[in-house]
Amino acid sequence: MKQKFNFCLLIILCIFSFSFGQSKKWTLEECVNYALENNISIKQSALDNQVSTISKKDAFGNFLPTINAQASHSWNIGLNQNITTGLLENQTTQFTSAGLNVNVDIYKGLQNQNRLRKANLSIIGSQYQLIKMQEDVSLNVVNAYLQILFNKENLKVQREQLAFDSKQLTRTTELVEAGVIPRGDLLDVKATVAADNQRLIAAENALFLSKLSLAQLLQLENFQEFDIADDNLAVKESSILMQKPEAILAKAKETRTDLKIANANVEIARSDVKIAKGAYTPTLNGFYSFNTRAGYSDKFIGLEQNTANPFSPSGNLVNVGGIIYPVLQPNVKPILGNPDGVFTQFNDNKGQNFGLNLNIPILNGFSVKNNVARSKVALERSKIALEQQELDLERTVFTAYTDTNGALKSYESAVSALEAREQSFNYAKERYEVGIMNSFDFNQAQTLFVNAQSEVVRTKYDYIFRTKILEFYFGIPIIQKK
């Protein structure tokens, strides 16, 4: 019973160690989604979108009044004017002032309204930029993912070929030792096995580099253990090829982010022209200001009855600021500074100022005229860029359509060639085994067969990727959500 328990425990531990020892196999959808969340370029585009949102708040803030408050306190020591008598005397005087200013734009040539429209367009443009970056990254991920699949299948072909040639080497060695075939055939087979090893090493390196490329695109740190799921993508004729290139182009003009960005840039340039022209018109703004002040001096200005304690213990003299003053009553104290309280002064000295300010531009060194001219040039450039984008899109769509058709035909031709090469290789194998064909001719037939296998793999993934691009221009998502 104890041995049975130990045996079961061992099986459980083996299962757990096997499950934890296996690395994660990434699917295409997982790779694309992870890249959309972690790619650095996408994060930078998202930050640009946040900056556009902040700029919109700036544009909206132009409609609000500006309110500023100020306050100051100063000390004047030495020969100053007595704030009570108006005479110049050696004294220390303190002044406190406070104020509040309010300004509001009433009319500014519709510049504030146009800046707000431009800010809204900039947000739309930055959103399109973010979408375009996401699309570019997704296409790059798909390309890198398919490259790994291609390298995996190519590596599989090279391994199978090496295994086959290794068996041939063993059999040829036996035939040479038996004296059935000459030793030169054995040297040819050894050279073939060596070449197979070289191709195998090259295929392994290509697979590692393709995994590294995708791992870096996903911003993965532990790329040594990165691997993708062994998806055996089937080749099927896409319905997109049933469409005419003109229909694909029309659909692309509706969905392509590049054109949306170019259109947004044109509208932003138009807003810049309106903003620049707004500087020609007069501006009207309202203003309001409130201010008050108070002062205080340490100069002796009088006496008052002291009902608490006498000012001087002697009751005869008092020293104020280095000057001796007589005490006229036993319970009196000197009055320093302004006889009015500070808050009373603030109330008495307050003032208000408000009105309207009209500014009419007449001559400003042609700055307004030049700004308008520069804005118009920028608008024309954005229009030309839009036209160029449309031409590029037309050329890209027709090229993609032609390439996809060509890729499909190349794949079909490669499959047909592989079938013929396989039959030719099997026939050569039969002739070689009975001694009718020499090793050199057999190796040539074998090499052609291996090359045909690699060509099928290459054309297969080339067609799959080009189909993805053409579907993307037609508005079909890169990754189909399940």
Side-chain angles (χ1 to χ4, degrees):
M1 191 71 182
K2 183 177 181 181
Q3 291 180 349
K4 186 176 181 179
F5 174 78
N6 292 335
F7 180 75
C8 294
L9 181 62
L10 179 61
I11 292 177
I12 294 174
L13 291 176
C14 290
I15 293 175
F16 272 99
S17 61
F18 178 77
S19 62
F20 283 110
Q22 287 185 324
S23 59
K24 174 181 173 58
K25 299 286 189 178
W26 291 69
T27 64
L28 178 58
E29 183 176 352
E30 288 175 340
C31 289
V32 172
N33 292 335
Y34 188 88
L36 294 179
E37 294 178 0
N38 298 276
N39 186 267
I40 293 178
S41 299
I42 293 178
K43 291 182 179 179
Q44 291 176 341
S45 297
L47 293 177
D48 293 338
N49 192 19
Q50 294 181 15
V51 172
S52 299
T53 303
I54 296 174
S55 299
K56 179 182 178 180
K57 294 180 180 179
D58 290 336
F60 181 77
N62 293 331
F63 291 93
L64 302 178
T66 59
I67 303 175
N68 298 287
Q70 67 275 349
S72 66
H73 186 84
S74 61
W75 288 263
N76 296 327
I77 302 175
L79 187 64
N80 294 296
Q81 187 179 32
N82 190 305
I83 60 177
T84 302
T85 64
L87 300 178
L88 292 177
E89 300 176 0
N90 285 319
Q91 60 180 341
T92 298
T93 306
Q94 301 182 45
F95 290 94
T96 300
S97 64
L100 180 71
N101 296 320
V102 179
N103 285 278
V104 59
D105 290 330
I106 299 175
Y107 180 75
K108 202 175 181 180
L110 301 179
Q111 288 182 320
N112 292 339
Q113 290 84 345
N114 290 322
R115 285 192 177 97
L116 182 59
R117 294 190 187 99
K118 177 184 176 181
N120 289 326
L121 292 171
S122 298
I123 291 178
I124 296 175
S126 62
Q127 291 173 347
Y128 287 150
Q129 289 286 359
L130 177 59
I131 294 174
K132 183 179 183 302
M133 184 59 64
Q134 292 173 341
E135 293 172 347
D136 293 343
V137 170
S138 298
L139 283 175
N140 292 334
V141 169
V142 171
N143 186 27
Y145 191 93
L146 294 178
Q147 186 65 38
I148 295 176
L149 291 179
F150 162 72
N151 289 328
K152 279 190 171 186
E153 289 198 24
N154 186 52
L155 179 60
K156 182 180 178 181
V157 171
Q158 300 304 327
R159 283 174 176 170
E160 291 176 352
Q161 190 60 43
L162 176 60
F164 176 80
D165 289 339
S166 298
K167 291 180 181 179
Q168 287 295 112
L169 177 61
T170 302
R171 184 175 181 279
T172 303
T173 303
E174 295 174 353
L175 293 176
V176 169
E177 292 176 352
V180 178
I181 59 176
R183 185 169 295 275
D185 290 353
L186 178 60
L187 297 177
D188 289 338
V189 175
K190 286 183 178 180
T192 301
V193 172
D196 290 341
N197 279 309
Q198 290 179 347
R199 286 192 291 267
L200 179 63
I201 293 173
E204 290 175 344
N205 291 336
L207 177 59
F208 174 76
L209 292 177
S210 60
K211 289 182 179 180
L212 175 62
S213 177
L214 181 55
Q216 290 179 339
L217 191 60
L218 299 180
Q219 310 297 329
L220 295 178
E221 296 181 358
N222 190 14
F223 62 87
Q224 291 85 354
E225 300 179 0
F226 173 75
D227 198 5
I228 65 172
D230 297 327
D231 296 332
N232 187 13
L233 299 180
V235 176
K236 55 183 179 180
E237 188 172 354
S238 175
S239 59
I240 193 67
L241 293 177
M242 303 295 181
Q243 301 287 339
K244 293 183 178 180
E246 291 80 6
I248 300 176
L249 177 60
K251 188 69 174 180
K253 289 183 177 180
E254 297 176 1
T255 59
R256 283 299 295 146
T257 310
D258 304 52
L259 287 183
K260 295 179 180 179
I261 294 174
N263 277 304
N265 290 336
V266 171
E267 296 302 323
I268 290 174
R270 284 199 177 100
S271 297
D272 286 333
V273 173
K274 293 179 180 179
I275 293 172
K277 287 183 177 180
Y280 280 124
T281 62
T283 59
L284 179 67
N285 69 299
F287 61 89
Y288 170 81
S289 63
F290 172 84
N291 57 79
T292 184
R293 64 187 185 280
Y296 177 83
S297 173
D298 64 358
K299 189 70 176 176
F300 172 78
I301 59 174
L303 299 171
E304 69 175 356
Q305 184 69 32
N306 187 355
T307 58
N309 296 319
F311 183 79
S312 172
S314 63
N316 296 320
L317 300 174
V318 62
N319 189 331
V320 178
I323 303 177
I324 305 300
Y325 296 92
V327 178
L328 303 179
Q329 298 180 8
N331 291 323
V332 296
K333 65 179 181 179
I335 301 175
L336 302 178
N338 197 308
D340 297 328
V342 174
F343 291 103
T344 302
Q345 292 185 61
F346 279 138
N347 183 63
D348 293 341
N349 295 328
K350 65 183 179 182
Q352 302 181 62
N353 181 29
F354 57 90
L356 299 174
N357 182 27
L358 179 64
N359 182 30
I360 302 175
I362 298 176
L363 180 63
N364 295 287
F366 302 109
S367 60
V368 176
K369 180 180 180 181
N370 293 336
N371 287 335
V372 173
R374 276 190 290 266
S375 300
K376 289 182 178 180
V377 171
L379 175 59
E380 291 302 318
R381 284 182 175 178
S382 62
K383 289 181 179 179
I384 294 174
L386 175 59
E387 294 177 2
Q388 185 64 50
Q389 197 67 246
E390 292 175 346
L391 292 175
D392 293 342
L393 180 61
E394 182 179 2
R395 182 179 65 253
T396 302
V397 168
F398 276 85
T399 302
Y401 184 85
T402 304
D403 290 343
T404 305
N405 272 307
L408 177 59
K409 293 178 181 178
S410 297
Y411 172 73
E412 293 172 346
S413 299
V415 172
S416 299
L418 177 60
E419 294 175 355
R421 290 299 179 189
E422 185 177 9
Q423 294 177 3
S424 177
F425 172 71
N426 291 333
Y427 179 67
K429 180 180 177 183
E430 293 175 356
R431 298 185 65 190
Y432 176 74
E433 290 177 349
V434 297
I436 300 177
M437 178 179 287
N438 58 36
S439 61
F440 178 79
D441 292 336
F442 176 72
N443 289 335
Q444 289 294 322
Q446 183 180 354
T447 300
L448 293 175
F449 175 57
V450 173
N451 292 338
Q453 287 179 306
S454 300
E455 184 66 11
V456 168
V457 175
R458 185 193 68 81
T459 55
K460 170 185 175 181
Y461 287 103
D462 182 59
Y463 168 69
I464 292 175
F465 180 66
R466 293 186 184 280
T467 302
K468 284 284 185 182
I469 294 178
L470 194 60
E471 291 176 346
F472 171 69
Y473 283 120
F474 196 64
I476 299 176
I478 298 174
I479 298 297
Q480 299 290 338
K481 299 296 183 180
K482 297 180 179 180

